[in-house]
Amino acid sequence: MIDSVIAYIAALFAATGFWIPAVVVLVAGLMRGFAGFGSAMLMAPVFAVLFGPTDMIATVVAIELAVSLQLYPAARRDCDWRIIGPMSVVACLAMPLGAWLLASVDKGLIVKTVSGIIVVFVLIMATG
C-alpha cells in the first residue's frame, strides 16, 4: 500500500517537478490559515492543469482530508447538523455522477469548467 502511494506521488511529480506543486500547497495553506477556507479553490485549477483532472481530484481530496481531520472533533460539536446532515447526504448521492463525469468527459473541458466555476465563486465572494 505504502509503495503504491509513493509510486503515485513520484509519477505526479515526474512531469511537473516538486517545487511548483509545493509552492501552490504552501500558498493554499497560508490562505486556509488566514481565511479558514479556500485552499482547495486555489489548488484545484492549478493541479488540474499540472496533473490532469483525475489526479487533481485525488490530490486535493487527500490534502484536504489530512488537514481537516484535526478540525473534526471541535467542528462536530459546533456545527448545525440540521444543515450539514442533508447537505452531506446530497453530496454522497451526487458523488457517483461526479465520478462518472470525471471518467467520461473530455479532460480539457473539465479543467476549463472547474477553473471557471472557481472564478465565478471568487467574483461572487469578492462583490458580495
Side-chain angles (χ1 to χ4, degrees):
M1 172 75 172
I2 297 295
D3 292 336
S4 62
V5 171
I6 292 171
Y8 173 75
I9 292 170
L12 278 178
F13 292 148
T16 62
F18 174 76
W19 292 109
I20 294 172
V23 168
V24 171
V25 171
L26 175 70
V27 173
L30 290 171
M31 188 160 121
R32 184 181 184 117
F34 287 127
F37 69 98
S39 55
M41 284 194 315
L42 180 68
M43 290 185 290
V46 177
F47 285 176
V49 171
L50 291 177
F51 303 143
T54 306
D55 289 332
M56 174 271 294
I57 294 290
T59 304
V60 170
V61 167
I63 291 169
E64 288 296 315
L65 181 64
V67 172
S68 298
L69 281 177
Q70 66 176 333
L71 302 173
Y72 180 72
R76 191 182 75 188
R77 287 185 306 253
D78 296 334
C79 79
D80 186 350
W81 286 103
R82 291 174 290 155
I83 295 172
I84 300 298
M87 288 171 47
S88 298
V89 169
V90 171
C92 289
L93 291 174
M95 200 175 301
L97 175 63
W100 176 78
L101 287 171
L102 186 63
S104 61
V105 174
D106 176 57
K107 293 182 185 330
L109 179 63
I110 292 173
V111 170
K112 290 175 186 171
T113 303
V114 167
S115 299
I117 289 170
I118 290 171
V119 167
V120 168
F121 279 119
V122 168
L123 290 174
I124 290 170
M125 296 299 288
T127 59

